[in-house]
């Protein structure tokens, strides 16, 4: 392997920046100082983190793993692919020290533990924002070749996925290519998403693990796959290979991923879904999911408002956009989200590449932040913020308020958010826990009404409130819906400005 450092496997993570947002912020996000070289002991060798370059314009972090072949044999009990004993020589002479595999994934989980959790107390907003990333893995085993590499990384928001086969010997090209590739990924993603994808997909491409796959590997897979695996077109292959083709674990993981997909990540946290018990029988009528009830209420409110051109702000993976497209009353639908990964999934969900010309002309997906004014959002009949505001830190709400109500100023604005009082009715939700791990707050009915009333007063809207879901006499409905409508005077002023 003349492209690898003998006895070492490594990857590099690079980003670019400006004087206002220097690239060296990467050090904060990885929790590793750019001016220091650090070493960490792992179960199979030593991991080193260092920065070949670190400036405001460009910063690169390198993870280098020195594998101890003897420790690998002793801890692995000589088990190879599928758990079968290797030949005596193969225990010591193999590709583990030279190629990125599950060994590198385990090193990442040790060295970049905080980054993989998505936490950065020093720069929380930077951790939540996409970065221009370039990731390189010089030698990556790929059972399935470069085509499989592109199938796995292509749907995840990367703008460039290069997988170049490594020849068996560069001096003898007639010998053909090896099963290894040199991988280069480029795109704008959150660092935590990129790291989690690598953590899962490196051993998947290798199609082997150096340790026994226990039942807790299902939890690791779901944690690292949150937000992308449930909708990935190669979900079955990824799950099966990651769990070393242990059918019982693969089936368990697939069932839990299906629950996550159906829940659409905005009704209950993943843990709550996993612990839920369906007590209904096959003959009983299953309850309508809250997400579906919410979309029905939104469509009804938009219909009552006579809206034809609609913005779905914070559209996520496109569930509401899909529902709007099915209703011919809505002639123009624009989905906006800050996450390119979410927009990629939405595009795949809507099958935009196979949609007819007339239908495709009705829908647009575009990237944008809801806390900044955007001229593209002006002139629409209605805007929907469905389960969006609770994902923002409270100090950032005024910026969203002005961007939507003060700048874009659609005739109708619909806002839905959880009613925290109803949480006591979720038997699977522990006391004091939010419905989703990313919720920054959840309001009572009084708190939501106070906020909505002030927003309406400041920007010339009237506001009405509609319950979504069963309206409990004690704690109210599970979801709160506020319908903002421009007052007559402000509507006249808006039309005059447009003219």
């Amino acid at each position: 392997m003349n492209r690898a450092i003998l006895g070492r496997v490594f990857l590099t993570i690079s980003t670019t920046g400006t004087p206002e947002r220097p690239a060296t912020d990467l050090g904060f996000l990885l929790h590793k100082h750019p001016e220091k070289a650090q070493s960490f002991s792992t179960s199979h060798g030593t991991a080193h983190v260092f920065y070949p370059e670190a400036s405001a314009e460009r910063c690169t972090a390198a993870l280098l793993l020195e594998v101890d072949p003897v420790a690998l044999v002793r801890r692995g009990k000589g088990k190879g692919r599928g758990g079968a004993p290797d030949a005596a020589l193969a225990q010591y002479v193999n590709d583990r020290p030279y190629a990125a595999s599950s060994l590198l994934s385990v090193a990442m989980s040790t060295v970049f533990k905080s980054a993989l959790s998505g936490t950065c107390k020093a720069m929380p907003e930077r951790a939540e924002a996409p970065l221009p990333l370039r990731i390189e893995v010089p030698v990556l085993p790929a059972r399935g070749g470069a085509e499989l590499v592109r199938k796995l990384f292509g749907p995840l928001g990367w703008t460039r996925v290069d997988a170049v086969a490594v020849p068996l010997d560069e001096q003898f090209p007639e010998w053909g290519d090896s099963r290894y590739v040199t991988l280069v990924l480029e795109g704008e993603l959150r660092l935590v998403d990129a790291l989690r994808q690598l953590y899962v997909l490196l051993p998947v491409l290798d199609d082997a693990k150096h340790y026994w796959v226990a039942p807790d590997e299902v939890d690791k897979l779901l944690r690292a796959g949150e937000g992308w695996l449930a909708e990935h077109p190669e979900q079955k292959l990824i799950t099966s290979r990651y769990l070393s083709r242990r059918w019982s674990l693969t089936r368990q993981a697939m069932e839990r991923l299906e629950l996550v997909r159906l829940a659409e990540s905005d009704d209950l946290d993943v843990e709550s879904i996993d612990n839920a018990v369906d007590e209904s029988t096959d003959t009983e009528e299953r309850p309508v999911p809250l997400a579906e009830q919410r979309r029905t209420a939104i469509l009804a409110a938009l219909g009552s408002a006579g809206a034809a051109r609609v913005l779905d702000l914070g559209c996520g993976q496109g569930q509401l956009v899909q529902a709007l497209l099915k209703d011919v009353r809505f002639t123009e639908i624009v989905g906006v989200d800050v996450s390119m990964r979410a927009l990629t999934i939405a595009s795949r969900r809507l099958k935009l590449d196979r949609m007819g010309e007339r239908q495709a002309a009705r829908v647009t997906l575009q990237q944008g932040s809801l806390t900044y004014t955007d001229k593209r959002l002006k002139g629409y009949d209605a805007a929907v913020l469905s389960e969006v505001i609770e994902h923002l830190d409270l100090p950032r709400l005024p910026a969203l308020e002005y961007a939507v109500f003060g700048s874009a100023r659609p005739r109708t604005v619909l806002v839905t958010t959880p009613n925290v009082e109803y949480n006591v009715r979720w038997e699977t939700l522990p006391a004091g826990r939010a419905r989703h791990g990313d919720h920054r707050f959840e309001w009572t009915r009084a708190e939501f009404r106070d906020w909505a009333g002030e927003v309406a007063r400041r920007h010339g809207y009237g506001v009405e409130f509609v319950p979504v879901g069963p309206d409990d006499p004690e704690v109210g409905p599970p979801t709160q819906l506020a319908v903002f409508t421009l007052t007559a005077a402000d509507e006249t002023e808006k039309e005059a400005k447009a003219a």
Side-chain angles (χ1 to χ4, degrees):
M1 284 292 104
N2 49 16
R3 296 194 183 192
I5 298 176
L6 184 62
R8 298 168 171 84
V9 294
F10 66 101
L11 67 84
T12 58
I13 305 170
S14 303
T15 190
T16 56
T18 63
E20 295 76 23
R21 289 198 165 187
T24 48
D25 286 352
L26 181 64
F28 286 99
L29 302 182
L30 290 173
H31 299 262
K32 301 293 178 286
H33 200 290
E35 295 182 4
K36 297 180 180 178
Q38 301 179 59
S39 299
F40 305 84
S41 295
T42 73
S43 55
H44 297 91
T46 304
H48 307 275
V49 178
F50 58 95
Y51 289 77
E53 56 182 341
S55 67
E57 293 75 26
R58 184 176 174 84
C59 185
T60 297
L63 171 62
L64 183 148
L65 177 61
E66 291 186 297
V67 178
D68 181 351
V70 176
L72 179 61
V73 171
R74 287 174 177 171
R75 292 186 62 87
K77 307 298 182 184
K79 298 295 182 182
R81 184 169 178 250
D86 292 332
L89 180 61
Q91 295 183 26
Y92 294 91
V93 182
N94 54 54
D95 66 354
R96 288 294 176 260
Y98 315 106
S101 64
S102 57
L103 290 172
L104 189 57
S105 286
V106 172
M108 288 173 57
S109 67
T110 301
V111 176
F112 297 143
K113 182 177 181 180
S114 296
L116 277 163
S117 71
T119 59
C120 182
K121 294 182 179 179
M123 293 185 170
E125 291 192 1
R126 196 81 158 118
E128 287 295 320
L131 299 176
L133 294 174
R134 177 185 172 93
I135 292 177
E136 297 183 61
V137 183
V139 182
L140 173 65
R143 295 184 187 273
E147 182 180 357
L148 179 60
V149 176
R150 288 187 284 270
K151 283 184 178 180
L152 295 185
F153 285 100
L156 298 177
W158 298 98
T159 55
R160 176 187 176 189
V161 180
D162 280 355
V164 180
V166 177
L168 285 171
D169 194 312
E170 292 182 347
Q171 295 182 359
F172 298 95
E174 65 272 15
W175 288 5
D177 294 329
S178 68
R179 71 180 184 92
Y180 302 90
V181 301
T182 296
L183 174 66
V184 177
L185 302 172
E186 289 184 353
E188 290 204 3
L189 282 80
R190 295 190 310 164
L191 179 64
V192 61
D193 296 327
L195 291 176
R196 288 176 177 176
Q197 292 169 16
L198 289 168
Y199 175 80
V200 172
L201 296 181
L202 291 182
V204 166
L205 285 164
D206 187 21
D207 198 14
K209 282 197 171 183
H210 68 276
Y211 57 87
W212 174 251
V213 176
D216 65 350
E217 290 294 304
V218 175
D219 295 324
K220 293 179 185 178
L221 174 62
L222 265 63
R223 282 196 297 270
E226 183 179 358
W228 62 272
L229 183 54
E231 297 287 346
H232 199 291
E234 300 295 334
Q235 178 201 111
K236 186 175 181 180
L237 180 144
I238 294 170
T239 304
S240 175
R241 284 194 177 191
Y242 183 88
L243 297 170
S244 295
R245 294 184 170 82
R246 290 191 61 187
W247 171 240
S248 60
L249 298 183
T250 301
R251 182 176 58 188
Q252 179 186 344
M254 296 286 287
E255 289 173 352
R256 291 173 62 180
L257 286 167
E258 180 64 11
L259 284 172
V260 173
R261 188 187 69 80
L262 292 175
E264 300 173 348
S265 301
D266 59 4
D267 290 337
L268 290 174
D269 201 347
V270 174
E271 285 189 16
S272 301
I273 296 166
D274 290 344
N275 295 330
V277 177
D278 185 3
E279 297 179 350
S280 62
T281 66
D282 292 339
T283 58
E284 292 177 338
E285 183 178 353
R286 296 184 181 273
V288 178
L290 180 58
E292 186 176 334
Q293 295 183 59
R294 186 162 49 243
R295 287 192 292 271
T296 299
I298 289 171
L299 292 173
L302 291 172
S304 298
R309 304 175 66 239
V310 179
L311 297 166
D312 182 6
L313 304 179
C315 66
Q317 298 177 7
Q319 293 90 342
L320 178 59
V321 173
Q322 187 176 45
L324 291 167
L325 271 173
K326 294 177 181 178
D327 194 321
V328 295
R329 292 177 297 178
F330 306 114
T331 58
E332 184 178 352
I333 304 151
V334 178
V336 182
D337 203 279
V338 71
S339 168
M340 281 302 302
R341 185 189 75 244
L343 293 174
T344 299
I345 295 173
S347 176
R348 191 165 63 247
R349 173 192 293 275
L350 299 171
K351 299 181 174 61
L352 289 183
D353 57 337
R354 288 176 281 171
M355 190 177 288
E357 183 177 349
R358 180 176 298 180
Q359 187 80 330
R362 295 173 58 208
V363 62
T364 303
L365 299 178
Q366 60 191 39
Q367 185 182 28
S369 172
L370 304 184
T371 56
Y372 295 94
T373 58
D374 190 336
K375 293 181 180 179
R376 297 175 299 173
L377 306 184
K378 293 185 176 182
Y380 287 85
D381 299 330
V384 180
L385 291 158
S386 179
E387 308 299 284
V388 170
I389 61 172
E390 64 272 10
H391 291 273
L392 293 177
D393 293 319
L394 283 170
R396 301 180 68 188
L397 272 185
L400 176 141
E401 173 192 331
Y402 179 76
V404 176
F405 295 90
S407 176
R409 293 187 69 75
R411 287 203 310 267
T412 302
V413 181
L414 307 182
V415 180
T416 75
T417 192
N419 168 22
V420 71
E421 297 170 80
Y422 193 88
N423 285 2
V424 297
R425 297 294 187 255
W426 298 116
E427 295 181 0
T428 57
L429 187 64
R433 282 280 301 275
R435 298 187 197 178
H436 190 279
D438 190 51
H439 286 183
R440 303 302 200 266
F441 62 87
E442 289 180 353
W443 277 334
T444 65
R445 287 168 291 173
E447 289 170 329
F448 183 53
R449 286 172 180 265
D450 288 345
W451 174 81
E454 284 298 308
V455 169
R457 182 186 61 80
R458 282 192 290 267
H459 298 286
Y461 283 79
V463 62
E464 296 180 353
F465 300 92
V466 179
V468 178
D471 197 355
D472 189 286
E474 296 181 2
V475 297
T479 295
Q480 313 181 71
L481 167 61
V483 181
F484 296 84
T485 306
L486 268 178
T487 61
D490 284 276
E491 177 66 16
T492 302
E493 180 183 350
K494 179 182 176 182
E495 292 175 353
K497 288 181 178 180

